Amino acid sequence: MSSGRDNIIVDKTEQFADRIARMYRYLSEKRQDDKDMLKQIVRSGTSVGANVSEGQFAQSKADFLTKMTIALKEANETRYWLKRLYAFGSLSEKEFASIINDCEDIISILTIITRTTKENLKNEGIKK
């Protein structure tokens, strides 16, 4: 599903949340012993997009930065859980490679967004 705008991070995080939800559904039926990890990854994996979405209507640049920083932390946590699922054999190498690449792309984009926003806020503070 697209956000209707040309906003790559919104689109990527929406698609990622959908993939995480489908993965959760598939693995929860297949791997009963991974339920706790699956609950964690569905929370963090869908939270990335929720925070990015909230950031689109932030009240200020500082609020936007807060939402993007939380999204980045959630994406990093999701990466952790994906690695654990792979290590425990819940994901095949092909499945893992596909979804971890999406996660890494999101982390890279969010890292750039947060750095740029911090720099812009710092520069605005100097101008005042």
Side-chain angles (χ1 to χ4, degrees):
M1 180 184 294
S2 176
S3 66
R5 295 175 292 173
D6 291 332
N7 189 325
I8 193 164
I9 194 61
V10 170
D11 293 341
K12 280 187 172 287
T13 57
E14 285 177 356
Q15 292 165 8
F16 188 69
D18 293 347
R19 283 193 76 187
I20 290 290
R22 284 190 300 273
M23 182 189 74
Y24 172 81
R25 186 181 308 139
Y26 169 74
L27 289 178
S28 64
E29 292 172 2
K30 178 181 160 190
R31 305 275 305 207
Q32 295 297 316
D33 54 334
D34 295 341
K35 286 280 191 188
D36 290 335
M37 277 192 290
L38 291 172
K39 287 178 184 177
Q40 290 291 111
I41 199 167
V42 81
R43 283 187 195 113
S44 63
T46 57
S47 179
V48 178
N51 280 287
V52 167
S53 181
E54 280 188 51
Q56 301 310 298
F57 294 95
Q59 295 175 340
S60 65
K61 287 182 183 177
D63 185 33
F64 175 79
L65 177 59
T66 298
K67 298 301 182 199
M68 293 304 111
T69 301
I70 293 168
L72 178 57
K73 288 179 179 183
E74 294 291 340
N76 189 53
E77 180 182 343
T78 303
R79 176 173 52 189
Y80 171 83
W81 291 117
L82 287 170
K83 288 179 178 181
R84 300 291 48 83
L85 286 170
Y86 178 63
F88 293 141
S90 300
L91 295 174
S92 71
E93 188 172 339
K94 183 179 177 182
E95 291 166 332
F96 175 72
S98 174
I99 200 161
I100 198 73
N101 284 338
D102 286 351
C103 190
E104 295 290 352
D105 285 349
I106 289 167
I107 289 170
S108 295
I109 295 166
L110 287 169
T111 298
I112 292 166
I113 289 170
T114 56
R115 277 191 201 143
T116 302
T117 305
K118 284 178 188 176
E119 189 62 32
N120 289 343
L121 284 170
K122 180 181 166 186
N123 290 339
E124 287 177 12
I126 293 170
K127 291 178 184 177
K128 289 182 180 177

